[in-house]
Structure formats: structure tokens, C-alpha cells
Amino acid sequence: MSTAALELKNVTKRFGNILANNNVSLTVNKGEILSVLGENGSGKTTLMNMISGIYYPDEGHIYIDGKEVLIHSPRDAFNHGIGMIHQHFKLVDVFSAAENIALGFDEPGRFDLKEVSKKVSEISKKYGFNLDPSKKIYAMSVSEKQTVEIIKVLYRGADILILDEPTAVLTPQETEKLFKILRSMRDDGKAIIIITHKLHEVLEISDRVTILRKGEYIDTVETSKTNEAELTEMMVGKKVSLNIDRTEPKDPQKRLTIQNLTVISPDGTKVLDNVGFTAKSGEILGIAGIAGSGQRELLEAVAGLQNIADGKITYFDPSSGKAESLRNKTPLQIRDLGVRLSFVPEDRLGMGLVGNMDITDNMMLRSYKSGKTVFLEKKPPKSLAEKIVEELEVVTPSISTPVRRLSGGNVQKVLVGREISSNPTVLMAAYPVRGLDINSSYLIYNLLNRQKENGAAVIFVGEDLDVLIELCDWILVLSSGRVSGMIPARGAKKEEIGLMMTARGK
Amino acid sequence: MHIIKRAAMPSWKAWLIRLAAILLSLIVSGLFVMFVTKLNPISVYIEMWKGAFGSSRKIWNTAQGTAILLCISLAVTPAFKMRFWNIGAEGQVMAGCIGTAAVMILFGNKLPTFWLMVCMVAASVASGIIWALIPAIFKANWNTNETLFTLMMNYVAIQIASYLSTVWENPAGSAHIGVINMNTGKGWFPAIFGHEQTINILIVAVLTAVMFVYLKYSKHGYEIAVVGESENTARYVGMNVKKVILRTMALSGAICGIAGLIIVAGKDHSLSTTSAGGQGFTAIMVSWLAKFNPLMMILTSLLIVFLERGAGAIATSFRINDSIADIVTGIILFFIIGCEFFVNYKIVFGNKGAKQ
Amino acid sequence: MITTIVNFLQRAIVQGIPLLYGSCGEIITEKSGNLNLGIPGIMYVGAVSGVIGAFFNERIAGDKLNPFFAVLVPLLCSLLGSLLMSLIYGFLTVTLRSNQNVAGLALTTFGVGVGNFFGGSLATLYGEGGALSLKRTSDFFKTALPFASKLGDFGKLFFSYGFLAYLAVIVAIVAAIILRKTRVGLNLRAVGESPATADAAGINVNRYKYLAICIGGMIAGLGGLYFIMDYTCGVWSNGGFGDRGWLAIALVIFAIWKPDMAALGSALFGGLYVVYIFIPNLSRSSQELFKMLPYLATIVVLIATSMRKKREHQPPQSLGLAYFREDR
């Protein structure tokens, strides 16, 4: 008989008008891994933030080892042995690993970083991590940063560990390694909560699953007694077939070729090294890779936003077939060449849109220069805004609402809607479904497929390998800024791509 | 008790909160003045009112003071909308003053009035632009911190004025310039409708309208807003961020130069290290209080000028130090700055849900 | 020649002390992520609070001025005045999350007003009239180490200052050690770099910000006290403190956010401030040009650090930004 380490009863949390969690209850036992499953926006992260003291619940009770507790701050959470590993790492960039681990922890005795480093090494040895305590965070890879986060909570002696989407940024191999560590912690008697929306991971790692949907508690089931279809139904609320309609490419033509592309970052490292490929019309080219392998720089280089150290970017005009070099041209110069290049960047509100401006003004981003006078023309962007709101079913009070107030899915609809409104011949999209719920995600996949059928060359940077394999025609794998392979998506194996993601490039 | 962010507040309600803050601050500063002068609070306000609006001459002077402060506030506004923290308006105004005074002194008796005026305008605007562009160039190219750079430029400008005060001193040995072209009145703005303030007020009125339209309806204004919100977005859609920064700062500097022109040619007819008189700093707050809206700035600059003149009048009649104006201004600013919290957040007591 | 150099260095240090206090206070404040442009105002208030304390202490004590209280009362008053000013700034920017630039500028307007108002009319308000002079109190502040005069130039250079000068250097060194070597320093730096991280690590962000603002403000206020009690010998003149507060903020950049560097930088800035006196045969007008040097030096440093872009030499990452935990 296992005992409950942490128990939540009828917890409710609101943000303004939004009900983020309504009457949610869950229990995690010692020596158990509990998955909290739910779509983006189902309130998983909010719930965990209440356990870790970031938010304070409006209603409800929290029990630890059977005793009711109030968690007002992260410090309270630590004192109760709760440690949270956030999806967006909470680390200070200019500090070393040891400094980050020691941060905010009042150990008895003198403050001594060497002592900290020694203890860190002991923990690393016990669970099988590999970490240099004196390395600065800004010099670390994503998985190293995650290691720092995990050691940080272990260092404080946490018995209840919460991991928020820990595998989102990892390769399949790194994920496997993480799971091994989690299992060894479970066997050590720790209670572990892992938040995810990936079903196969739930089935692989957890003992039990708690499902949330739109902030509501749905059910808790034993992993061994359920299956993928049942979980999906509980998560989405209706039976869904998770299939993407992939059509065969029609008459693919060379549209964009990249040769020997090299980009050097301001601090002198090669973020893209001798990259080359061809994107064809009527096809979707997927780009896979660990986060930060050069995906962003690649798309930005094509869009005219990066200084290119070496290489060629050539565009082939669909009507005339003429070749145009896009290297070192600004976005406006590219447009002036008649190239209809659209780009949905990863950072929606920080790059693709202006959060504090309304939908109309955001439409104007692409067209504000039109007209001969020094004044803005507001009518065309306004009608475009109305059209997008109607056609893509954007949920918004009005077109004069600042886009920052919209939900993630609606923000993305506004952005993608604007980018495809110009009938692009090349459409690039970086992580376009990140943070979106399943329905919005499929809407975006459909929009991309429609552009492909219209003859656009679509370049899709994704992180979910299952989706890449199902959606794309080709998959290009980047590893540390180099191309480590390009394979047909049909019939591709996830493990194969995973290995290419960490391989030293050719 | 804890704090949550508000969804959005209707703007009438927000302005009501701000109005309440101003009233509250008037009460607090009235109490302070009462404490120092032993006047009863009602008489404090009557005295202040009289000090600012007590006679036709005072009204004209208050209007002119408002116009000059408003002019400098207009100057800093486009840069602030672009999130360029230009606290160098003081120096840019000084530069404009210096440019104007230099032309008046050096060419006052050599050029016909029309060409003299043209040269004065050109010199003031050019000096303002140069003073604003120096930090902007470094900001645009190397992201050099503009707040401190522009701050230092203020003192360089003031030192230059101090230097020129000894070069052009009149009478000799005084280290002061005195009234320029006292006998000829060369380079002085002419009086219109019998008041020499008229032309200053008119210039600023036109500038206010132009700036309002420029920020709200022009392509440049849109670019400024986008660069201010997110440089990445601006770059993504192909705006030349450097160009926008330089152009906007040049505009800021040019208007500061005009403010300098008004101060020297239309008001002081002299140059000293205090020609700008700290208004470059006050203008920042005027602009911010008005939420960068040029029309609202008419009111906020009037409020500040009213306070300064009102408190100044009290200081004179009670023979106390006129720094009391700064104290009163400070108190009122604290309240207005602080009240924004209640526009953006609300406090929830107890462990209950927030109803909205 | 050596005497001239010693004279110059000594005056540079004297000029540098208020700057050192100011910049040291500002560094501590900025390390918590708060850019306090109200420091010039706080220094004015620090000065005038000391003046008020000394004024009443002299009146109450009459002819028998106890050296201990003559120093202690103005010192405590100065600290209290700066603390109140810091609390205004802290309340506005931390609790109410106002714009730091505007709140700081308003604080400076207010503080300079308070300083000049009370400094300029304290005697009038009290019914004495005339200018304010606190020479008797000042003499105690200026008391140098007794053996200074016996050691010639060496003594003059190292031992001829009032105790507040030594305190400034001690404060700078202690602040440097705390920031670099202690848990509190680590936590404070984390608050300025990334308050969300510090918060998640269990650090009380607001408490650290308040403490840094208040301690920083009180240190800065001592700069004002030193200026009035030591440098001007207890004589208040309106606006006499000038722009030293702003120069102190500039010095923060020069010192790349390191209090020990500020100690060196303040002497250098002090030297630039007075160098015109030591250059022979300068005309009055060229003297004015020489007075630009500290500002030009700051500009050069600003440009140089921004061009080098060394990761460790940048301002705290969240400097100037308000923190709200439930921001989303």
C-alpha cells in the first residue's frame, strides 16, 4: 500500500475572466510517477504553479503527507519538499551551474561554492548525470540546462518532483536517458509528477494518469489499464482521428535552393555550417533538430534577416523560371523582386506580431508602405483583418483588440492568416503549433497543406517527430548547424531521425 | 491579500482614477504649503491661482511657459514612443539656445532681419539635431545606453554655454552674456497683437497639431510605434531600424532646437547655463503623464506650469525659497505615477476568487 | 612639484568621495534590477537632513557641543532622510510597479526641492535669518587623524581626511565582498538578472529589492552629508551640490557595476573635476572647457563598454523592469 505524498482537493484558479482550473483534484503517491495529461491550455501548468508556489489558488486545499498546507511562495514549496522543473528554465544566464544550484537555498554554515560543487558531483554520480558545476549557463546546451534544473531540486532534498513538459526540447535518445533517471528516482521513493501532452510518453513512463481538459478535472486512470485512443478521447473530449491528409505532391518544381550556407553568430560561432538543400513547389519540407541547432537562423537567412558569411540562396520564379539570388537582401528588397515569401516566425508576439497593437494594425505590418502619400491607408488592412477573423474563426471581441489579449491559438491564426493572405510561393513556418490545442493545431496543418496544394514550397520547422513524419514530404535534419541528412518522410523512423539529430554533420 | 492584473479598464475610468490622484495630491501639497506658511488651505490654492492667472500679464506668461514646456515635451515624445530613453532634451534645448544666440551675436548687425531669422532657425534646428544624433548614432550601431549618454550630453552642452558666457560676456568680467542686441532688438521675435508671447504660443500650437497627426496617421509614426514595441518585429517586416532611430532622434533634436530658439529669441533674449532650466527633465514627465498623446500634453504641461508659478508666487509673497515649487511638483508627480498601479492592477483581499 | 601632485591627488580624492558614496549606493540598487535616477535627489536630502539635525543639535547643545552627538545626530538624521526618500522610490517602483525612469526623475525633482528649500530657508523658518553655517559641527566631521600633519606629504595624501572619507572606502570594499562572495550577494545579483528565476528559487524578490534600494539610498545620502559637512565646511548654498548625483550614476557604468572599481573611478572623476585648477595659465574660458572632462570621460567609457560587449560587463539583465510574479 503506497502512501499519498501530495494531494490536491477541489482547487480553483482564475485569471481575470478566464477560469484556468476549476475544481481540480489529484493525488500522487511516494515511489510513483504520475502523468498529468492535457492539451495546451487545459490548465496543467497553472495547476503545477500552484503546487510550487508561483500562483496562489483561489479555492481548494493542498495536503502533503496527509496534512493540509498553505503554499504562498516558492520558498514554502521547498520547505514542503516540492521541487519544480519549469518548461522555460528558471536559470540565471551569467551564473555558473553551481551558483544557480545554490541560489536561494539557505544551507546552514558558511557560503562556499566549492562545497556546493562537491555535493553536486555526488548527486550526479548517484543518479547518473553528467555536469560541470563551474560551467556558465549561457554556454550550455538545452539538455545540460535541464540537468541543472533537476539537480537543483534534488540538491534541496525535494521528495516531490514536478517536471513541466521535460521532453519538449530533447531528442528521443535524451528522453530515454531522462526517463531512466526518473525511474531510478522513483525507485528511490520519490513522488514524481510529469506534465505532458505526448501520449506515448505517458504510456511509457507513468504509473497513473490524471487527465485535465479546459481547466476541468476529467479522470485518473492506471496506465496499465488504458490505451492511446481512450486517453485521447478523455483529453480532447470527443473521438478524434489523428490523421493528417497528406496528398501526393503535384508537379514539384525547384523553387528555392540553398548552397553552402554559412552563418556566423555575433559571438563568433558557426550557427549554420555549409547547409544546402532544395525546396520544391507543392511539397512540404520538414526541418527536424534539437532546439537551437540553427533552425531559426536558417529561416531568417532566407527571409533576409541574417548576415550571411558564405553561400548562395537562389529563388526560381514560378512564372518566368528566372533565378534570383536572395543573399544579403533585406526583406523589402526581396519583396521588390516580386518574390512572395511568407514567414511565420517562432516568436509570434515578439517578431511576427506586435502584441500591444490591434489586429488591423498587425495586418498593416506587411502593407503599411502602400499608397503614395506619407499617411497610412487603414482600409485594406481593416478588411483583411475582418476576412481573417471570419474565415479562420478567430475568437476575439473585435478587430481592434490588442492581439496580446487573444489566446495562443487565435494569435497564431492571425499571424498565419496574414502570412498566407499574399498567396506565397514560399511559406516558412517555425514551430507553428507550439502551445496550441489539438483543434487549432490541425487547423494549422490544414492551412499548410492547402498552401502546398496551391503550389507553394512549404518549409516547416517542427519539434514533434510524429507530426513531421505524418505531415511532410521530406525531412531535413539539422545537427549543430549542419545538415546531417535529408530523407523522404513517408516511411521514416523516429529513432533514425533522433540519431541524425545528435550526429556530427556530414 | 494579493495582487492581480486587470483585464482592461475603460478609459473613462482610468482617467477618473488619474483625476482622483491629482486631487489627492493637491490636497497633500496644500497641506504641506499650509504647514510651511501657516496659510489656511483654501487661501493656499487662491494664492496659487492668483500667482498663475491673477492678471492678464500672468496669464500670458503662464501660457508662454506652458507652450515652451509643451514644445520640449513634444520633442521627447516620438523618441519615447520608440522606447529610446532620451533624457537629453535639456542638452538639446541648450544646443538650440546656443545656436540661436550665436547667430544673434555674430550676425545681429550684419544680416537683414529676414535672413537673420532664417539663419537663427537653421542654426537652432541644426544644433538640436547634432546634439540628439550623437547618442543616437551610437545607440543604433552599438546599442550604447542612451539614457546615460544623453544625460552626459546635457552637461557637456551646459559647459559649452558656460564657456561661451565668458567668451561673449557683457559687461566684461561678469561671466554673463546679458541681453543680446539690447538696443537694436535684432533677432528678437516681433510682438503680434501687442504681445511678444503670441508668436511663441502659435509656433507650439502648430507643432502640437502636426505632431499629433504625425504620430497617429503617418507611416513614420507607425514605424516609430513598431520599433518601440519590438525591434525584432520591425526588422522582420523589413523596416530599417537604424534609420528609424536616427530619423526619430533627429526630429526630437530639431524640435528641442526650436524650443531653444523660442527661449532665446522669443523670451529671454539672452543665453545662460540655466536657459533650459531643467525643463528637459520635466518634459519627460509631462509626456509620460499624457501617455504620449500630444493633445493630452497641453493639459499636463499646463498643470505643471500652473504648479510652478503658483508655488513660486507663494514663495515670493511669503519670502520663502522658491524651491517649494519643486517639492509641490514632486508630490504631485508621485501621486500620478503611483495611481497607474490602480489602473493596471487590483488588490484582492482574502483567499476568495476575484469577480469581474 | 611633488607637493603639487599630492595637492592634486588629495583634492581629487576629496572630490571623489561624494561620487563614491553615490555610485556605491546606485550599484547596490541596480544590482537588484532597479535603475534609481532619484539618487541625485536622495543625495540632496541626505545632505539637508544632516544639516537639519546638526542645526537643531547646535541650538539645543548651546556652547557645549558634545563631539560624539555632534557627529551622531546629523549622521542618523541623514540616514533617516535618505531612507524615507528610498522608501518613496521603493514603494512606487516595487510595490506599485511604476516606470522606474519617471519615478526616479520625480524623486530627483522632489529631493532637490526639499534640499534647497530647507537648506536655503531653514534659518529663516526658524526665525534667525541669514545664511546657514554649521561650522562647529563641521569641524568634528573634518577631524583628521592626529598624526596626519606629522607625516608630511604622505600623511596629507593618506590621513588628512575626515572619517566619512574612510567610511566611503570601507563601504565600497565591503559591498564588493558581499556582492561577490556571499549568499546574500548571489541572491541579490540573481534578483537583478532574472527576478522570475530568483522567485522560483525561493528568494523574496520584493524584500531584496526594497533592501537594496534602501541601503543603496542611505549610502548615497552619506555622499551628500560628506559634501556639506566636510567639503563645504557646513555652509549650505543652494544648488551647490550641482550635478554630482548624476555623475555618480555615470560612474556606475565606468565601474562596470563593481563597488571596488567605483573607488578607483571616483578618484579619477574627482581628478577630472579639479584638474583645471592645477593646469597653469588657463584662461577663465578654457577652465570652463576643462570642466567638461568628467562627462566626456563617461561618454568614452559608455561607448567602449558597449562596443566590447563582454557578457560579464553588461548591466543586470532586468534593469529597469518591474517584476510581477503572476505576469503571463
Side-chain angles (χ1 to χ4, degrees):
Chain A
M1 177 68 202
S2 50
T3 51
L6 172 77
E7 204 176 349
L8 265 66
K9 276 191 185 154
N10 311 98
V11 170
T12 297
K13 175 76 188 172
R14 296 181 190 84
F15 292 104
N17 299 327
I18 302 154
L19 195 56
N21 281 140
N22 187 22
N23 213 9
V24 176
S25 303
L26 66 78
T27 306
V28 58
N29 297 320
K30 286 177 182 157
E32 178 189 58
I33 298 180
L34 174 78
S35 288
V36 176
L37 178 69
E39 286 199 63
N40 288 305
S42 61
K44 298 170 302 213
T45 302
T46 305
L47 188 67
M48 294 306 124
N49 276 335
M50 282 189 281
I51 302 174
S52 62
I54 302 276
Y55 300 151
Y56 189 75
D58 294 335
E59 288 163 31
H61 307 274
I62 300 174
Y63 301 87
I64 288 171
D65 293 333
K67 283 194 287 284
E68 174 155 19
V69 294
L70 296 177
I71 304 175
H72 286 284
S73 67
R75 177 161 292 261
D76 289 349
F78 293 138
N79 293 341
H80 292 301
I82 299 168
M84 172 129 177
I85 290 110
H86 296 268
Q87 182 181 9
H88 305 287
F89 301 135
K90 306 256 182 187
L91 297 170
V92 179
D93 267 357
V94 293
F95 284 10
S96 69
E99 282 177 313
N100 267 292
I101 288 166
L103 192 64
F105 186 45
D106 292 320
E107 282 176 288
R110 223 173 63 85
F111 175 67
D112 183 0
L113 272 180
K114 279 193 198 113
E115 201 57 34
V116 176
S117 302
K118 225 171 90 190
K119 278 197 206 160
V120 167
S121 306
E122 281 165 24
I123 295 173
S124 302
K125 214 188 267 165
K126 180 170 173 191
Y127 292 105
F129 296 109
N130 190 5
L131 181 75
D132 170 9
S134 63
K135 196 166 174 183
K136 292 271 168 82
I137 300 297
Y138 62 75
M140 285 188 178
S141 73
V142 186
S143 89
E144 276 177 295
K145 288 180 194 173
Q146 190 178 53
T147 307
V148 177
E149 283 277 22
I150 296 174
I151 293 181
K152 187 165 146 186
V153 301
L154 292 174
Y155 186 89
R156 288 157 177 253
D159 299 313
I160 304 165
L161 276 82
I162 305 166
L163 296 98
D164 189 359
E165 307 260 2
T167 61
V169 290
L170 303 180
T171 63
Q173 286 76 17
E174 285 168 335
T175 303
E176 206 34 64
K177 209 170 140 198
L178 173 70
F179 283 178
K180 222 168 114 190
I181 288 169
L182 290 182
R183 285 192 196 101
S184 81
M185 290 188 208
R186 172 183 64 188
D187 299 342
D188 202 31
K190 304 221 182 271
I192 295 168
I193 302 178
I194 169 165
I195 305 173
T196 180
H197 61 260
K198 294 183 184 165
L199 294 165
H200 59 270
E201 288 180 356
V202 172
L203 295 168
E204 186 185 338
I205 185 86
S206 62
D207 301 307
R208 291 188 304 136
V209 198
T210 293
I211 299 110
L212 299 183
R213 187 203 313 151
K214 298 201 169 115
E216 306 273 349
Y217 172 79
I218 302 299
D219 201 1
T220 300
V221 293
E222 293 206 10
T223 313
S224 54
K225 291 178 187 155
T226 186
N227 57 47
E228 205 158 318
E230 193 185 64
L231 286 176
T232 310
E233 201 183 325
M234 282 194 278
M235 179 164 82
V236 186
K238 57 184 178 202
K239 277 213 160 72
V240 283
S241 61
L242 292 180
N243 288 316
I244 300 169
D245 294 329
R246 175 165 51 190
T247 53
E248 287 299 319
K250 269 179 260 157
D251 183 27
Q253 299 285 328
K254 218 169 19 167
R255 182 57 37 84
L256 188 70
T257 58
I258 314 280
Q259 288 158 290
N260 311 95
L261 182 66
T262 299
V263 169
I264 294 172
S265 76
D267 61 23
T269 51
K270 275 189 185 173
V271 276
L272 286 178
D273 186 359
N274 205 13
V275 168
F277 63 88
T278 298
K280 291 182 181 159
S281 64
E283 284 186 348
I284 298 184
L285 169 69
I287 296 181
I290 306 170
S293 299
Q295 297 96 319
R296 184 172 61 82
E297 288 80 3
L298 176 59
L299 299 199
E300 288 187 6
V302 175
L305 302 172
Q306 284 278 349
N307 282 323
I308 292 163
D310 194 18
K312 282 186 200 160
I313 302 173
T314 319
Y315 171 80
F316 298 93
D317 193 279
S319 43
S320 65
K322 219 172 88 188
E324 301 270 13
S325 167
L326 302 188
R327 182 180 163 173
N328 289 346
K329 290 212 164 61
T330 67
L332 284 181
Q333 288 168 328
I334 292 175
R335 194 104 37 88
D336 290 344
L337 286 173
V339 177
R340 292 202 305 275
L341 177 82
S342 287
F343 177 26
V344 178
E346 173 182 354
D347 187 359
R348 290 161 209 164
L349 287 177
M351 189 172 205
L353 300 167
V354 177
N356 282 329
M357 287 185 172
D358 65 19
I359 302 181
T360 307
D361 282 0
N362 270 296
M363 292 300 130
M364 213 148 56
L365 278 171
R366 284 291 189 201
S367 61
Y368 77 97
K369 284 238 163 155
S370 64
K372 288 202 175 71
T373 64
V374 296
F375 295 108
L376 297 164
E377 289 182 344
K378 290 219 176 184
K379 272 201 193 120
K382 197 173 161 213
S383 49
L384 178 59
E386 280 162 355
K387 193 177 135 209
I388 287 174
V389 168
E390 196 191 308
E391 284 180 4
L392 301 186
E393 293 167 355
V394 178
V395 182
T396 172
S398 78
I399 56 165
S400 50
T401 305
V403 291
R404 145 182 78 82
R405 293 246 172 84
L406 307 181
S407 73
N410 288 308
V411 167
Q412 187 67 318
K413 285 180 194 171
V414 170
L415 174 55
V416 173
R418 186 191 69 205
E419 287 303 299
I420 62 180
S421 67
S422 61
N423 290 321
T425 50
V426 176
L427 172 62
M428 303 189 291
Y431 309 107
V433 300
R434 186 182 278 174
L436 269 52
D437 61 39
I438 291 191
N439 285 324
S440 305
S441 300
Y442 277 79
L443 183 101
I444 300 291
Y445 298 145
N446 282 336
L447 288 173
L448 294 180
N449 265 325
R450 218 182 304 155
Q451 292 304 312
K452 161 182 163 179
E453 284 155 27
N454 287 349
V458 180
I459 299 177
F460 171 85
V461 176
E463 49 199 344
D464 191 331
L465 295 183
D466 296 301
V467 169
L468 279 166
I469 292 170
E470 266 185 78
L471 174 72
C472 302
D473 298 294
W474 291 91
I475 295 176
L476 175 94
V477 186
L478 283 179
S479 167
S480 317
R482 295 186 221 185
V483 175
S484 56
M486 181 152 159
I487 53 173
R490 291 172 182 79
K493 287 272 167 297
K494 223 164 51 168
E495 288 69 27
E496 176 193 7
I497 299 174
L499 282 176
M500 286 157 75
M501 281 161 75
T502 47
R504 299 306 308 158
K506 287 172 195 168
Chain B
M1 187 191 104
H2 64 288
I3 295 161
I4 57 173
K5 212 161 200 168
R6 277 183 200 278
M9 183 181 257
S11 71
W12 64 267
K13 219 173 155 187
W15 284 108
L16 212 64
I17 288 183
R18 286 173 198 140
L19 195 68
I22 292 175
L23 288 178
L24 201 63
S25 65
L26 283 174
I27 293 172
V28 172
S29 49
L31 286 174
F32 173 75
V33 175
M34 188 183 88
F35 174 73
V36 177
T37 60
K38 314 284 185 293
L39 265 180
N40 75 57
I42 305 295
S43 336
V44 169
Y45 298 121
I46 292 176
E47 281 293 318
M48 285 177 75
W49 181 265
K50 277 198 213 150
F53 304 113
S55 68
S56 134
R57 196 178 62 82
K58 280 180 177 161
I59 293 176
W60 277 103
N61 280 336
T62 302
Q64 170 170 274
T66 307
I68 291 173
L69 183 58
L70 176 59
C71 184
I72 306 172
S73 311
L74 291 172
V76 297
T77 300
F80 278 0
K81 275 204 104 162
M82 200 175 64
R83 305 265 163 93
F84 184 103
W85 292 103
N86 172 22
I87 56 175
E90 186 83 3
Q92 291 145 26
V93 173
M94 273 315 293
C97 291
I98 291 169
T100 312
V103 173
M104 284 167 76
I105 291 170
L106 300 176
F107 303 107
N109 298 318
K110 293 179 192 147
L111 287 173
T113 306
F114 174 77
W115 289 110
L116 182 65
M117 286 289 171
V118 170
C119 286
M120 281 159 58
V121 172
S124 64
V125 169
S127 331
I129 289 178
I130 289 170
W131 225 245
L133 271 186
I134 294 171
I137 287 168
F138 286 94
K139 171 75 179 180
N141 287 300
W142 292 283
N143 200 22
T144 309
N145 182 318
E146 75 278 14
T147 314
L148 292 146
F149 201 137
T150 50
L151 182 70
M152 290 302 114
M153 292 295 283
N154 291 342
Y155 294 107
V156 177
I158 289 171
Q159 266 335 118
I160 291 178
S162 174
Y163 165 73
L164 292 174
S165 297
T166 57
V167 174
W168 290 328
E169 63 188 353
N170 179 25
S174 68
H176 284 288
I177 289 184
V179 176
I180 302 168
N181 304 341
M182 178 140 54
N183 302 322
T184 58
K186 286 273 187 183
W188 296 22
F189 280 173
I192 298 181
F193 308 130
H195 292 282
E196 60 173 358
Q197 295 98 332
T198 321
I199 191 164
N200 301 339
I201 297 168
L202 282 178
I203 293 173
V204 179
V206 171
L207 272 179
T208 311
V210 170
M211 184 54 81
F212 179 76
V213 172
Y214 178 80
L215 288 176
K216 193 151 186 202
Y217 297 107
S218 79
K219 290 173 183 171
H220 284 186
Y222 183 75
E223 287 182 335
I224 288 171
V226 173
V227 170
E229 291 287 345
S230 160
E231 275 192 33
N232 265 332
T233 307
R235 222 167 272 132
Y236 159 79
V237 296
M239 290 176 190
N240 186 338
V241 175
K242 263 186 209 176
K243 192 174 121 193
V244 176
I245 290 179
L246 295 179
R247 186 182 68 206
T248 308
M249 270 310 280
L251 178 70
S252 252
I255 300 177
C256 279
I258 291 174
L261 173 75
I262 293 174
I263 289 170
V264 174
K267 183 173 148 262
D268 291 350
H269 313 305
S270 182
L271 174 72
S272 76
T273 52
T274 55
S275 286
Q279 294 190 88
F281 295 107
T282 315
I284 293 166
M285 292 178 274
V286 168
S287 171
W288 185 83
L289 293 179
K291 301 276 153 270
F292 309 132
N293 178 340
L295 300 183
M296 284 311 286
M297 277 176 225
I298 300 174
L299 294 180
T300 49
S301 53
L302 180 64
L303 174 71
I304 301 281
V305 171
F306 162 71
L307 289 172
E308 282 178 354
R309 296 198 174 244
I314 287 183
T316 318
S317 54
F318 284 81
R319 271 180 287 162
I320 47 177
N321 190 310
D322 60 5
S323 297
I324 197 167
D326 285 341
I327 300 181
V328 171
T329 310
I331 292 174
I332 290 184
L333 289 172
F334 291 151
F335 276 88
I336 307 179
I337 294 167
C339 84
E340 290 302 312
F341 173 80
F342 299 96
V343 176
N344 295 318
Y345 300 90
K346 67 194 225 175
I347 302 170
V348 182
F349 293 95
N351 185 17
K352 278 184 304 199
K355 270 184 233 136
Q356 264 197 319
Chain C
M1 184 62 200
I2 288 196
T3 315
T4 317
I5 290 174
V6 168
N7 267 337
F8 170 65
L9 289 177
Q10 194 228 10
R11 291 202 56 174
I13 291 169
V14 166
Q15 283 289 346
I17 295 300
L19 302 182
L20 178 54
Y21 274 117
S23 58
C24 217
E26 180 72 18
I27 288 174
I28 293 171
T29 311
E30 287 193 18
K31 279 289 177 189
S32 76
N34 278 63
L35 178 70
N36 188 353
L37 293 181
I39 284 287
I42 293 180
M43 294 178 85
Y44 262 89
V45 170
V48 86
S49 310
V51 164
I52 294 172
F55 181 81
F56 286 106
N57 188 47
E58 281 192 15
R59 297 298 170 282
I60 290 165
D63 291 334
K64 304 184 294 288
L65 199 56
N66 178 318
F68 180 68
F69 285 113
V71 170
L72 189 68
V73 171
L75 190 67
L76 289 181
C77 287
S78 169
L79 290 174
L80 183 69
S82 325
L83 176 65
L84 289 176
M85 288 289 280
S86 308
L87 284 173
I88 294 177
Y89 175 81
F91 183 70
L92 286 172
T93 58
V94 180
T95 304
L96 298 185
R97 299 173 177 86
S98 310
N99 180 307
Q100 294 180 8
N101 286 328
V102 185
L105 288 174
L107 194 72
T108 289
T109 304
F110 179 75
V112 172
V114 169
N116 285 338
F117 180 77
F118 287 105
S121 49
L122 185 60
T124 320
L125 286 175
Y126 194 66
E128 287 185 358
L132 191 66
S133 171
L134 300 164
K135 181 143 187 344
R136 290 194 299 155
T137 303
S138 162
D139 284 342
F140 293 115
F141 273 86
K142 284 176 78 80
T143 306
L145 292 172
F147 48 84
S149 50
K150 294 178 198 137
L151 292 173
D153 283 341
F154 182 79
K156 188 166 185 192
L157 189 53
F158 290 103
F159 300 115
S160 66
Y161 313 98
F163 77 97
L164 278 176
Y166 301 103
L167 184 65
V169 179
I170 294 169
V171 164
I173 292 170
V174 169
I177 292 172
I178 288 178
L179 282 174
R180 222 168 287 166
K181 297 271 181 204
T182 67
R183 203 180 319 242
V184 172
L186 181 73
N187 292 354
L188 179 64
R189 283 187 286 139
V191 168
E193 290 291 337
S194 165
T197 301
D199 193 11
I203 295 168
N204 189 331
V205 172
N206 285 0
R207 184 189 299 159
Y208 266 87
K209 276 179 177 269
Y210 261 107
L211 276 176
I213 289 167
C214 289
I215 293 173
M218 281 154 71
I219 292 174
L222 288 180
L225 185 69
Y226 172 85
F227 181 79
I228 197 71
M229 288 302 170
D230 196 323
Y231 183 75
T232 68
C233 307
V235 179
W236 180 280
S237 67
N238 270 5
F241 189 66
D243 45 33
R244 288 181 172 81
W246 295 115
L247 215 51
I249 292 179
L251 187 56
V252 172
I253 297 179
F254 186 89
I256 45 176
W257 289 269
K258 293 192 171 115
D260 41 353
M261 282 292 289
L264 298 177
S266 64
L268 179 68
F269 270 45
L272 293 174
Y273 222 87
V274 293
V275 70
Y276 70 92
I277 302 171
F278 291 88
I279 295 178
N281 307 324
L282 273 186
S283 68
R284 263 194 311 135
S285 47
S286 348
Q287 285 188 2
E288 295 302 325
L289 289 180
F290 265 88
K291 289 183 191 166
M292 273 182 219
L293 281 176
Y295 313 113
L296 293 177
T298 307
I299 290 174
V300 169
V301 172
L302 257 177
I303 295 171
T305 50
S306 68
M307 282 179 175
R308 279 181 56 208
K309 282 197 180 25
K310 198 170 166 206
R311 194 82 199 222
E312 278 76 8
H313 290 176
Q314 298 307 311
Q317 208 161 19
S318 72
L319 186 64
L321 307 173
Y323 175 62
F324 181 50
R325 184 190 283 167
E326 299 201 2
D327 243 339
R328 38 178 269 151

